[in-house]
Structures are given as C-alpha cells and as structure tokens.
Amino acid sequence: MTELVLMGEKALKAKQDTAKLQIKEKNNALTAIADAIVAATNEIIKANEIDMENGRNAGMKQGLLD
C-alpha cells in the first residue's frame, strides 16, 4: 500500500475513535496536539524552508510555493 493510502486509513480510524470520546476528552486531545505543534515550531519552519527551496530548485511556479 502507498503511504497516502495508509495515512488515509489511519485518519479514518482516528475519526471513528474520536467520535466516541466525550467533549472533555476531545478538548484535552486538541490541547495536546496544539502543544506538540507549538513545541515543534522551529523544526516545522526549518522543514518548510527546505521544502520551499527544493520546490524553487525544481522550477515550481511561485503560485504553488506561496
């Protein structure tokens, strides 16, 4: 299976699992996700810079890079 198919299957499972949670549990999960994103901000920005540079080097149009 391709990586995208696996990601889709995992997303569907997460959706189904999340639907069973109480509001407080969902809010706690969203808070944990937000905290993880904030903690990884520098890493995310660096990875994005690499992606942008790779796109420019590959001749990607500016509109797709924005």
Side-chain angles (χ1 to χ4, degrees):
M1 269 189 214
T2 68
E3 185 175 340
L4 288 177
V5 171
L6 291 173
M7 286 174 56
E9 289 174 350
K10 288 180 182 181
L12 180 59
K13 171 98 171 75
K15 176 186 170 189
Q16 294 165 343
D17 292 344
T18 303
K20 300 172 189 173
L21 297 176
Q22 299 295 319
I23 296 231
K24 185 173 182 177
E25 293 171 310
K26 289 179 187 179
N27 288 341
N28 289 341
L30 290 171
T31 299
I33 292 166
D35 290 344
I37 291 170
V38 169
T41 297
N42 289 337
E43 183 180 337
I44 292 167
I45 290 171
K46 287 178 186 176
N48 187 60
E49 289 171 352
I50 292 168
D51 287 343
M52 293 292 288
E53 185 64 26
N54 288 339
R56 280 190 287 277
N57 290 341
M60 188 175 281
K61 292 182 180 182
Q62 185 62 38
L64 295 174
L65 293 168
D66 288 339

